[in-house]
Amino acid sequence: MNKQATIDFATATRIDANAITPPAHTQALLDLVSGEARDSLLAVHDVLRRELPPGELAIYEAGGGSSSFLPLEILNRSHVTVVDIDEDQIRNNDYAQEAILGDVQTYRFKPESVDLVICYNVIEHLPDVEAALKNFCEALRRGGMILIGAPNPRSLSGVVTKYSPHWFHVWFYRQVRGIKNAGEPGEPPFPTFFHPLVTLSNLEAFAAAHGLETIYRREVESPRYPEMRKRKPLFAALVDAGAAALNFMLPRGTDMRRGDYHVILRKR
């Protein structure tokens, strides 16, 4: 469904999306190949079902995409507000009741007005993660939660992403992942900054210092690995061999393939 609006890039512009209904399924989950990342997201869903209050929920999605990472039963009882700096991403979002063109690093909700903040595959793209996290904390009600999904900067994929040029990311998405429109307006991959707070240990320390407790935490193999094994087995074998060689040289228990994490933080 197209959402018509005149957008003023100088200010955050609200786009009326009240007529939009949630999709019949959560495509983001269906798009995840079988593996640790998908298993972890299902576990996240269980935590949210158990910990979120009954009744209508106020959900803030920081950085909007074309499909939700929430379970359908939660999405169906929620008023979702998405904030994104990219006009195309705003237009691609078809499940939020309210879409706002704005910057999550500066946009502020009414204090203690939100039950859940979703920040999924977003913080690695922010130059000022600290500012965004402080805004999330301020918006949360007591007992409210922040779900963050992000890449691990200390993994093999994280190091490659951090130190390779953006054109390489686009090439990888198109040639290895098979996403032909990758890099076009409104389509990933987007430029990556990897602020220090994207590192999970730093993120958890920051959370603890700002009145948040960790109630779920899991580092997982990047879904890019099972994708590569399915689409490009020879290329995947080379990458797996490289990761195994690095793991052999690093401290025991290190797995450079653990390229992503999920964490749920709750406001005390």
Side-chain angles (χ1 to χ4, degrees), residues 14 58-60 81 83 98 100 106-117 134-142 267:
R14 294 176 181 270
I59 293 180
Y60 166 26
T81 302
V83 177
E98 188 174 14
I100 300 171
T106 57
Y107 191 87
R108 299 177 70 178
F109 279 71
K110 180 181 177 182
E112 299 187 4
S113 61
V114 171
D115 296 295
L116 176 65
V117 178
K134 287 180 177 179
N135 290 337
F136 300 165
C137 293
E138 181 183 52
L140 278 182
R141 296 184 174 116
R142 190 176 300 274
K267 188 173 183 177

Side-chain angles (χ1 to χ4, degrees), residues 167-196:
W167 65 259
F168 176 80
H169 306 170
V170 175
W171 174 86
F172 181 88
Y173 269 59
R174 291 182 179 179
Q175 302 302 319
V176 179
R177 299 193 64 196
I179 303 174
K180 299 306 180 183
N181 63 342
E184 294 180 2
E187 298 295 334
F190 304 109
T192 305
F193 292 96
F194 276 130
H195 184 282

Side-chain angles (χ1 to χ4, degrees), residues 253-266:
T254 300
D255 188 346
M256 292 295 286
R257 283 169 290 213
R258 296 196 180 279
D260 286 57
Y261 63 80
H262 294 135
V263 62
I264 301 177
L265 309 169
R266 180 164 58 193

Side-chain angles (χ1 to χ4, degrees), residues 201-213:
S201 57
N202 295 341
L203 175 62
E204 289 187 300
F206 178 91
H210 289 79
L212 301 168
E213 60 177 335

Side-chain angles (χ1 to χ4, degrees), residues 20-229:
I20 293 172
T21 57
H25 49 70
T26 51
Q27 190 64 41
L29 176 62
L30 298 179
D31 286 344
L32 270 180
V33 294
S34 296
E36 293 182 2
R38 192 176 191 278
D39 292 343
S40 181
L41 186 56
L42 289 171
V44 164
H45 288 179
D46 288 338
V47 173
L48 296 179
R49 291 187 187 100
R50 184 174 65 248
E51 299 295 335
L52 284 169
E56 185 177 11
L57 300 168
I59 293 180
Y60 166 26
E61 182 168 338
S66 58
S67 57
S68 174
F69 287 89
L70 289 174
L72 185 60
E73 63 269 29
I74 290 177
L75 194 64
N76 281 341
R77 64 181 179 95
S78 301
H79 183 281
V80 179
T81 302
V82 60
V83 177
D84 199 288
I85 201 169
D86 189 298
E87 178 184 354
D88 293 293
Q89 285 290 90
I90 286 290
R91 294 193 185 281
N92 288 340
N93 187 292
D94 63 357
Y95 58 87
Q97 282 70 42
E98 188 174 14
I100 300 171
L101 187 69
D103 188 339
V104 302
Q105 298 164 114
T106 57
Y107 191 87
R108 299 177 70 178
F109 279 71
K110 180 181 177 182
E112 299 187 4
S113 61
V114 171
D115 296 295
L116 176 65
V117 178
I118 308 289
C119 189
Y120 208 100
N121 294 336
V122 172
I123 62 172
E124 66 271 23
H125 303 294
L126 302 179
D128 194 350
V129 175
E130 181 175 356
L133 291 174
K134 287 180 177 179
N135 290 337
F136 300 165
C137 293
E138 181 183 52
L140 278 182
R141 296 184 174 116
R142 190 176 300 274
M145 293 176 286
I146 306 173
L147 165 61
I148 296 175
N152 173 11
R154 295 178 178 175
S155 67
L156 177 58
S157 57
V159 170
V160 171
T161 300
K162 184 175 182 177
Y163 293 106
S164 60
H166 185 66
W167 65 259
F168 176 80
H169 306 170
V170 175
W171 174 86
F172 181 88
Y173 269 59
R174 291 182 179 179
Q175 302 302 319
V176 179
R177 299 193 64 196
I179 303 174
K180 299 306 180 183
N181 63 342
E184 294 180 2
E187 298 295 334
F190 304 109
T192 305
F193 292 96
F194 276 130
H195 184 282
L197 284 177
V198 177
T199 301
L200 185 51
S201 57
N202 295 341
L203 175 62
E204 289 187 300
F206 178 91
H210 289 79
L212 301 168
E213 60 177 335
T214 302
I215 63 171
Y216 181 88
R217 175 192 194 276
R218 185 175 176 186
E219 297 179 76
V220 298
E221 181 184 66
S222 169
R224 303 293 84 82
Y225 284 92
E227 283 180 1
M228 287 188 295
R229 292 174 192 133

